[in-house]
Amino acid sequence: MRKTIAAGNWKMNLDFDEGRQLFHALTKLGHDDKATEVILAPPAPYLSLLGYTNTSSVHFAAQNCHHEDAGAYTGEWSARMLASLNIKHCIVGHSERRAQYGETNKQIAQKTQQCYAHGIRPILCCGETLAEREAGDHFNIVTEQINAVLKTIEAKQIRTLIIAYEPVWAIGTGVTASAAQAQEMHSFIRKSIASSYDRELAEQVHILYGGSVKPDNAKELFSLPDVDGGLVGGASLDYESFKGIIEAAI
Ligand code: PEP
């Protein structure tokens, strides 16, 4: 039985006090961590400062890590460094990183390997642009993005992979994929993993939906058979709206 995950990606938003208040308020919700996992991805400078401990009911993710272990990469941080802060999750391949920083599938695969090398569970983002969907290429694009990573990691690592399907046209736009579109892609991803590996392994992979998730659409999305929760941007910045999304995940 897969847990439902409500993951909030703050991106480059909230000052430190705003972030701290939001984090502490969310830890008081008292959700059952065994059934629902709440993850926050604050800006990197806050990761060691927000008072996070591994016993907290709210877990932390980094929004990114470098594809190398260490070196002369000014302004970057590695999975090894995240592990030294006890961070257990890391988003890799967010569409904003792909589009704004030119991250390639190869680098994203290397980042994923770095995460596994340091005991960090990757949240691998994938998703097509509007033009790619309109051209009927969405299944090919997502397959390419996921397979570039899967072929570089071991089957036992895939069991703990979190995939976030985030159609680019739905991110920050207020346009959400319909329940049918989300289920169609999530089921496609799970079936592809089952056919490359096996059904039992595919059933363990978490597949989150991302793209304008809000309290009023979260329940419908999270109740779909292959949607295991959400990766949430804008709506994770406000206590009431992220609380509503966490409640939809319970
Ligand atoms: C995201 O950037 O991962 C995201 C899903 O953003 P939003 O919820 O704002 O669409």
Side-chain angles (χ1 to χ4, degrees), residues 202-220:
E203 287 299 329
Q204 293 182 42
V205 177
H206 278 82
I207 310 176
L208 311 185
Y209 168 78
S212 299
V213 176
K214 303 272 182 280
D216 58 3
N217 59 26
K219 192 98 209 161
E220 184 187 16

Side-chain angles (χ1 to χ4, degrees), residues 150-166:
L150 295 191
K151 70 180 188 207
T152 70
I153 59 177
E154 294 170 38
K156 67 172 194 274
Q157 295 173 318
I158 297 171
R159 287 176 199 282
T160 61
L161 184 64
I162 302 172
I163 293 173
Y165 169 58
E166 302 202 300

Side-chain angles (χ1 to χ4, degrees), residues 59-249:
H59 304 275
F60 273 10
Q63 296 177 13
N64 181 36
C65 67
H66 198 266
H67 58 275
E68 297 288 348
D69 204 47
Y73 300 104
T74 302
E76 295 287 337
W77 58 89
S78 64
R80 176 199 285 271
M81 294 170 185
L82 297 173
S84 72
L85 293 174
N86 253 325
I87 301 300
K88 301 288 186 209
H89 299 84
C90 181
I91 298 172
V92 292
H94 191 281
S95 61
E96 287 156 12
R97 303 278 328 165
R98 292 178 191 261
Q100 297 167 15
Y101 302 94
E103 285 189 5
T104 61
N105 281 335
K106 184 170 176 226
Q107 286 169 330
I108 292 159
Q110 288 172 303
K111 285 171 191 245
T112 308
Q113 289 167 51
Q114 281 291 324
C115 286
Y116 279 120
H118 295 288
I120 292 172
R121 200 172 172 195
I123 303 173
L124 168 65
C125 299
C126 60
E128 79 286 356
T129 62
L130 186 58
E132 287 161 347
R133 178 165 278 264
E134 284 174 351
D137 267 348
H138 44 301
F139 293 116
N140 289 339
I141 294 291
V142 167
T143 301
E144 210 177 297
Q145 291 169 336
I146 294 178
N147 284 354
V149 171
L150 295 191
K151 70 180 188 207
T152 70
I153 59 177
E154 294 170 38
K156 67 172 194 274
Q157 295 173 318
I158 297 171
R159 287 176 199 282
T160 61
L161 184 64
I162 302 172
I163 293 173
Y165 169 58
E166 302 202 300
V168 179
W169 45 272
I171 295 182
T173 58
V175 179
T176 314
S178 67
Q181 285 170 321
Q183 173 56 26
E184 182 185 39
M185 183 59 86
H186 283 230
S187 150
F188 170 79
I189 294 170
R190 201 177 303 286
K191 282 189 186 133
S192 312
I193 297 173
S195 72
S196 306
Y197 299 89
D198 62 66
R199 182 92 219 145
E200 184 263 334
L201 183 150
E203 287 299 329
Q204 293 182 42
V205 177
H206 278 82
I207 310 176
L208 311 185
Y209 168 78
S212 299
V213 176
K214 303 272 182 280
D216 58 3
N217 59 26
K219 192 98 209 161
E220 184 187 16
L221 288 162
F222 297 174
S223 64
L224 297 167
D226 287 296
V227 175
D228 305 312
L231 179 56
V232 184
S236 71
L237 298 173
D238 172 75
Y239 173 71
E240 285 301 330
S241 68
F242 198 48
K243 176 171 168 273
I245 290 168
I246 293 169
E247 285 166 355

